[in-house]
Amino acid sequence: MPKLVKTIIIASMFLIASITLYPHICWGDAQPAPASFFTISLDNAKSPGEVSVVLQIFALLTVLSLAPAILIMLTSFTRIAIVLSLLRQAMGTHQMPPNQIILGLSMFLTFFIMTPVWQDINKQALQPYLEKKITQKQALEKASQPIRKFMFKQTREKDLALLVSIADIKRPKTANEVPTSVLIPSFIISELKTAFQIGFLLYVPFLIIDIVVASVLLSMGMMMLPPIMVSLPFKLMLFVLVDGWYLIVGSLVKSFG
């Protein structure tokens, strides 16, 4: 056994040494490493315009990295995903529907609800910018207007006043004076509150079924039988009879009207 351990140690040292020395052996007398196929550099810029293009590429990459957060927090996705998750917990179906189904349905409903907003952005900002009728700054300002209008419509005045006071800024007289940095968290807080209110209303009928089933089982002396096993079929039957998905999806979409 000691001989085997000694052999393994020697082999490991040899392997480490070979890995460490291999780059020097390979590149010591050979040609330099090939250059990268794609590079972004400011060294060869000959005019401020070329520097601006490089910075625009970096800004675009930054926006793309933040795209998931923008899709989740600045649209209707938050409310829909929370309501559907609370519905699954209220029914007691555990992982049915799966998370992929809930997130997928939330995403496509978000696309459906936000389509008018994105059409306004395309019409007012993107197409004029591509046709070079407005500048980049004007395009960004025009693109933010439909999104701000959507967020203002769903934001409670109480939540907006809270963030204004925390930011310690002068009280805005009009909606245009509200900074976007204040509007976004106000909108998120309002969406969370609305989602939990809808989730509470969804919990009530299923909670009543659980209470009734638990009372019946207790009166029958069947204390060892979990109430969820008996109440789950009744919950599913109630949900199917009232056409639950039709009512919930319709109510969610109309709540953004």
Side-chain angles (χ1 to χ4, degrees):
M1 188 66 181
K3 184 177 181 180
L4 179 60
V5 174
K6 183 176 180 181
T7 304
I8 294 175
I9 295 175
I10 295 175
S12 302
M13 295 177 63
F14 178 76
L15 180 62
I16 295 172
S18 62
I19 293 174
T20 306
L21 297 176
Y22 180 74
H24 299 285
I25 295 174
C26 292
W27 299 104
D29 299 328
Q31 68 274 13
S36 301
F37 178 75
F38 178 74
T39 59
I40 299 177
S41 175
L42 298 177
D43 298 336
N44 299 324
K46 299 179 181 180
S47 65
E50 295 180 359
V51 177
S52 176
V53 171
V54 175
L55 295 179
Q56 289 177 5
I57 294 175
F58 277 111
L60 178 61
L61 294 176
T62 303
V63 171
L64 290 177
S65 64
L66 297 175
I70 295 174
L71 175 63
I72 292 174
M73 306 310 296
L74 302 187
T75 61
S76 59
F77 183 87
T78 302
R79 182 189 303 184
I80 298 173
I82 292 177
V83 169
L84 295 181
S85 298
L86 291 176
L87 172 64
R88 182 177 63 182
Q89 295 182 14
M91 295 179 63
T93 53
H94 302 292
Q95 294 300 321
M96 292 299 296
N99 291 329
Q100 293 84 351
I101 301 298
I102 290 180
L103 294 178
L105 179 59
S106 302
M107 184 173 297
F108 281 105
L109 287 177
T110 299
F111 291 155
F112 177 77
I113 294 171
M114 299 300 296
T115 295
V117 178
W118 293 334
Q119 288 177 348
D120 291 341
I121 294 175
N122 180 63
K123 182 179 179 180
Q124 300 176 12
L126 182 58
Q127 293 302 324
Y129 176 71
L130 294 178
E131 296 173 0
K132 298 182 179 180
K133 295 181 179 179
I134 58 177
T135 63
Q136 183 179 6
K137 182 179 179 181
Q138 292 174 336
L140 292 175
E141 292 177 353
K142 290 182 177 296
S144 64
Q145 292 176 1
I147 299 178
R148 285 173 57 91
K149 182 180 179 181
F150 171 80
M151 290 192 293
F152 268 117
K153 195 172 182 180
Q154 307 301 326
T155 303
R156 292 179 174 82
E157 185 177 352
K158 179 181 178 181
D159 297 327
L160 188 61
L162 173 64
L163 269 297
V164 168
S165 63
I166 294 176
D168 196 17
I169 60 176
K170 186 179 178 180
R171 183 176 180 179
K173 297 181 180 179
T174 61
N176 294 329
E177 297 180 0
V178 178
T180 304
S181 58
V182 173
L183 176 60
I184 291 176
S186 304
F187 168 75
I188 296 173
I189 294 174
S190 297
E191 285 294 284
L192 291 174
K193 183 177 180 179
T194 303
F196 277 92
Q197 288 177 343
I198 299 175
F200 171 76
L201 296 177
L202 291 176
Y203 251 98
V204 173
F206 298 112
L207 181 61
I208 294 175
I209 294 177
D210 286 332
I211 294 174
V212 172
V213 171
S215 301
V216 172
L217 292 178
L218 184 61
S219 63
M220 296 175 61
M222 304 175 66
M223 293 179 293
M224 300 301 295
L225 181 63
I228 187 64
M229 294 182 61
V230 181
S231 63
L232 180 57
F234 290 99
K235 292 179 181 178
L236 294 177
M237 182 179 64
L238 173 65
F239 193 73
V240 172
L241 289 177
V242 300
D243 202 357
W245 290 114
Y246 172 84
L247 295 176
I248 290 174
V249 172
S251 300
L252 281 174
V253 174
K254 292 177 182 178
S255 66
F256 292 96

